[in-house]
Amino acid sequence: MQANPVSSTTDALVSIITPAYKAAGVIGDTIASVQAQTHGDWEMLIAEDCGPDDTRAIVRTLARDDARIRLIEPAENGGPAAARNHALAAARGRWIAFLDSDDLWLPDKLERQLAFHRAHQRAVLSFTGFRRISADGTRTGTYIGVPAQLSYRQLLGNTAIATSTVLVDRALSGRFAMRDTYYDDFACWLALLKPGGIAVGLDEDLMRYRVMEGSVSRDKRNSAAQVWRAYRQVERLGPIESAYHFAQYTLRALHKYHQF
């Protein structure tokens, strides 16, 4: 993280960070869920990561009709962390929201979360509850709630923060970037909290997480290995402390994914 805060002139502006790769079939719905927000002071920065489909053309067309949508066009494929960093580098708002290209927000997500976050002035990060939906959007899962608060230590063993629910206050965090690691989002939340920051949870149903078949996050064995790697190689925890947090993380993950 860098220490310099953003300008106070962007106090109400939310910069939405959306990496996109082979998202032509879903990006229109994702953008529509942002355009339906009751809080209209936002910019949506879509970093299209050199995919083989028509995602760029779709975003470019929609951006012509809504100046708040900004297409970021990296010269080469770099993966989710690099795409998010391209968007973060162009973000102008005090508030940074994350929304993956296949997920959806409910209409009052930004309005309710902003009010909630402003009421917790010490919180560098906030997150909300959500439900899963099937790839075609026809099936909606059970509500997944969130805890009231998480510290760095608590987050190490917790799966509660879904990326597309996150809102970061750059007045507290300063400018920041994602690390080039498998779970770049998890590593980022830990980095934001490690200096002593807190994350607060708004236990309300405000996001839809689309379950895509073949997604890397669906490979639970590899996901578990990457969580262990994050403890040992990114956070530099010892084997005993890593095992303690890994056990907590695994139990919570099993409970979380027990039902759709």
Side-chain angles (χ1 to χ4, degrees):
M1 289 187 296
Q2 301 176 18
N4 55 312
V6 295
S7 168
S8 61
T9 60
T10 59
D11 185 71
L13 178 64
V14 179
S15 296
I16 303 163
I17 307 302
T18 300
Y21 182 75
K22 294 197 291 188
V26 293
I27 193 65
D29 288 342
T30 300
I31 292 172
S33 79
V34 174
Q35 291 175 313
Q37 291 299 300
T38 54
H39 177 87
D41 194 359
W42 52 262
E43 59 175 0
M44 187 176 188
L45 302 138
I46 303 172
E48 198 290 312
D49 201 23
C50 300
D53 63 6
D54 295 329
T55 302
R56 286 194 184 187
I58 293 169
V59 174
R60 196 175 289 117
T61 297
L62 294 171
R64 281 199 290 265
D65 295 327
D66 191 336
R68 297 173 297 179
I69 302 167
R70 299 168 60 193
L71 175 63
I72 309 295
E73 303 182 67
E76 59 184 12
N77 176 268
R84 288 180 174 123
N85 283 338
H86 283 298
L88 282 166
R92 298 174 295 196
R94 166 182 171 178
W95 304 93
I96 299 292
F98 290 85
L99 177 60
D100 286 347
S101 61
D102 49 0
D103 294 337
L104 306 169
W105 284 345
L106 273 63
D108 57 349
K109 191 265 187 188
L110 283 182
E111 181 180 6
R112 295 191 64 78
Q113 190 172 6
L114 271 170
F116 173 79
H117 201 140
R118 287 183 187 277
H120 293 78
Q121 297 181 5
R122 291 180 52 248
V124 66
L125 181 156
S126 65
F127 55 103
T128 80
F130 67 98
R131 295 177 190 265
R132 298 186 185 91
I133 57 172
S134 57
D136 61 6
T138 60
R139 183 183 172 203
T140 301
T142 57
Y143 175 64
I144 299 174
V146 295
Q149 183 172 306
L150 289 172
S151 66
Y152 168 78
R153 290 290 172 187
Q154 290 168 326
L155 179 57
L156 282 168
N158 207 299
T159 65
I161 300 180
T163 300
S164 292
T165 73
V166 167
L167 185 67
V168 176
D169 184 358
R170 285 203 295 186
L172 294 181
S173 71
R175 296 186 181 273
F176 64 93
M178 315 299 284
R179 297 184 62 165
D180 185 15
T181 186
Y182 184 89
Y183 277 132
D184 60 303
D185 45 3
F186 184 51
C188 182
W189 318 150
L190 288 170
L192 289 171
L193 299 186
K194 195 168 187 176
I198 61 167
V200 289
L202 175 57
D203 194 15
E204 295 184 12
D205 182 14
L206 295 172
M207 189 271 284
R208 293 290 177 267
Y209 174 89
R210 194 185 302 270
V211 178
M212 304 294 286
E213 293 301 324
S215 168
V216 292
S217 64
R218 304 302 292 173
D219 184 348
K220 299 310 176 188
R221 181 174 298 180
N222 182 55
S223 294
Q226 294 297 336
V227 170
W228 180 261
R229 178 178 178 273
Y231 292 149
R232 300 288 283 130
Q233 298 182 18
V234 179
E235 299 305 314
R236 304 294 183 181
L237 303 180
I240 295 176
E241 187 176 9
S242 294
Y244 171 75
H245 293 300
F246 185 77
Q248 290 186 316
Y249 188 98
T250 301
L251 287 172
R252 288 189 170 102
L254 289 172
H255 176 74
K256 186 175 180 179
Y257 289 98
H258 180 66
Q259 293 179 308
F260 179 72

